[in-house]
Amino acid sequence: MKTSEWLKKYDIRLKKGLGQNFLSNSNVSREIVRKSEIDENDVIIEIGTGNGILTEEMARKAKKVITFEIDERLKPLLEERFEGSNNVEIHFEDFLNTDLSKFKDIPKLKYIANIPYYISSKILEKIFVESPKFEYAIFMFQKEFGQRLMAKSKKSYSPLSIFVQTYCTVEKIMDVSKNNFVPIPKVDSVILKFKPIYKYVEEIDPKDFMKFVHKCFSKRRKTIKNNLKEIIPDTEKYLTEVQINPSSRPEDIPLETYIELYKKLLGRRGAKEGS
């Protein structure tokens, strides 16, 4: 059945507040799975089962699909769609409240999902901060949001783009037209692939680094010196030690320099604790 037919059968009206724009073109879901190179040893975590169109395609290839759906109105639809399926595990709960450590023993863990725009940032932060080791994450976002994640500097640069690019390589997989969704959203989508760089996870605590970068961007129109003076008393000296002009704005500073800045701060903390 088509997406619209499934929804009509169970009299489900999609909620704007939950960011519900369901993929309706099975060719797109098949292409996502093809490009994801899923094999019979993979365990996939999906965030936002929706009507199950992507879940169904992934289940044909993967060892197991563990999928999370917050909207319990979809339960009868999904129970019918996956009746008899032995490799689809549906959790009707908020993924953001899930303890990801329970997946630590899964050797080939991957994340693949079309996630609601309004929680995209929270989901990315949760995965990078809390998830056990995973091979990659492939997510569909609104196009503008995806472009911000890949931004290297200037207008689109943000704490999240710095954070994501510190811990992952980011690769564009494909664009998806808004006409492939029900209801049709206002904008097109893009699918990105995130491959973890575990070297940095071991060197830099993700949660603490994220707090630091948010502090650097706390007042975007202010200088980096102004934003850091609350946590670093001799800010100007600290910045010049890593060859940053104290009057620079946060978006003018390259990604690698943020890593240097943070490591320098860690060094200072360690020196204070040891004195």
Side-chain angles (χ1 to χ4, degrees):
M1 278 196 290
K2 293 180 180 178
T3 296
S4 55
E5 292 170 341
W6 277 111
L7 296 175
K8 187 176 179 181
K9 179 176 182 178
Y10 287 96
D11 193 26
I12 295 169
R13 298 188 180 212
L14 300 184
K15 293 182 178 180
K16 192 175 179 180
L18 291 176
Q20 289 179 323
N21 297 96
F22 289 174
L23 191 60
S24 59
N25 188 339
S26 56
N27 290 328
V28 174
S29 58
R30 278 194 287 272
E31 185 64 4
I32 293 169
V33 170
R34 187 184 73 78
K35 287 179 178 288
S36 300
E37 299 179 340
I38 298 170
D39 66 40
E40 66 276 6
N41 297 311
D42 290 332
V43 175
I44 310 295
I45 294 179
E46 181 187 26
I47 304 120
T49 321
N51 65 313
I53 188 170
L54 180 58
T55 321
E56 192 171 70
E57 289 299 328
M58 293 192 293
R60 289 194 175 107
K61 298 280 187 180
K63 179 180 180 180
K64 189 175 189 179
V65 179
I66 302 167
T67 182
F68 290 83
E69 177 52 58
I70 198 171
D71 189 353
E72 294 208 18
R73 296 178 306 147
L74 294 165
K75 194 169 185 177
L77 184 162
L78 293 171
E79 284 177 345
E80 180 187 341
R81 188 162 195 165
F82 295 105
E83 185 180 8
S85 175
N86 59 6
N87 69 334
V88 176
E89 184 181 303
I90 306 172
H91 296 265
F92 289 95
E93 62 182 88
D94 187 346
F95 175 79
L96 292 174
N97 296 330
T98 301
D99 179 6
L100 299 185
S101 66
K102 64 185 175 184
F103 303 122
K104 63 180 171 48
D105 295 325
I106 296 174
K108 287 196 74 183
L109 179 64
K110 297 175 177 178
Y111 291 89
I112 302 175
N114 169 25
I115 55 181
Y117 175 69
Y118 77 107
I119 55 168
S120 296
S121 297
K122 289 180 179 178
I123 285 173
L124 285 172
E125 286 185 32
K126 181 177 180 69
I127 288 170
F128 295 136
V129 170
E130 298 179 26
S131 177
K133 283 194 175 183
F134 61 97
E135 294 205 353
Y136 63 64
I138 291 179
F139 291 140
M140 192 187 308
F141 305 105
Q142 284 190 0
K143 198 165 189 177
E144 185 186 348
F145 182 81
Q147 288 169 339
R148 288 208 306 271
L149 291 177
M150 293 186 288
K152 297 293 182 184
S153 62
K154 302 300 177 184
K155 275 187 182 179
S156 298
Y157 215 24
S158 70
L160 188 60
S161 61
I162 291 166
F163 181 79
V164 165
Q165 292 174 43
T166 297
Y167 292 102
C168 289
T169 58
V170 186
E171 174 192 353
K172 180 179 169 181
I173 298 297
M174 61 189 280
D175 291 316
V176 181
S177 166
K178 61 186 178 183
N179 297 316
N180 292 298
F181 296 87
V182 172
I184 298 174
K186 292 179 180 177
V187 296
D188 293 329
S189 295
V190 65
I191 299 174
L192 302 180
K193 180 177 183 178
F194 305 88
K195 199 164 176 62
I197 305 170
Y198 281 109
K199 177 184 96 169
Y200 284 131
V201 174
E202 287 155 11
E203 289 179 5
I204 301 172
D205 176 71
K207 206 166 190 174
D208 197 46
F209 181 65
M210 190 61 175
K211 282 182 188 174
F212 172 73
V213 177
H214 271 299
K215 192 66 187 171
C216 292
F217 277 79
S218 55
K219 297 185 178 87
R220 200 176 180 103
R221 292 188 177 184
K222 298 286 187 181
T223 64
I224 189 73
K225 174 186 171 182
N226 195 292
N227 287 343
L228 289 177
K229 65 184 181 182
E230 289 178 23
I231 58 170
I232 303 165
D234 52 340
T235 318
E236 193 158 334
K237 184 185 175 190
Y238 168 74
L239 292 168
T240 52
E241 282 175 357
V242 283
Q243 299 181 322
I244 292 176
N245 184 338
S247 61
S248 298
R249 294 185 187 277
E251 65 267 24
D252 295 326
I253 298 168
L255 166 70
E256 296 77 14
T257 308
Y258 276 105
I259 297 170
E260 271 188 73
L261 266 174
Y262 180 72
K263 285 183 174 179
K264 188 87 178 168
L265 180 62
L266 284 184
R268 288 185 165 215
R269 285 180 189 164
K272 280 184 182 178
E273 287 167 9
S275 60

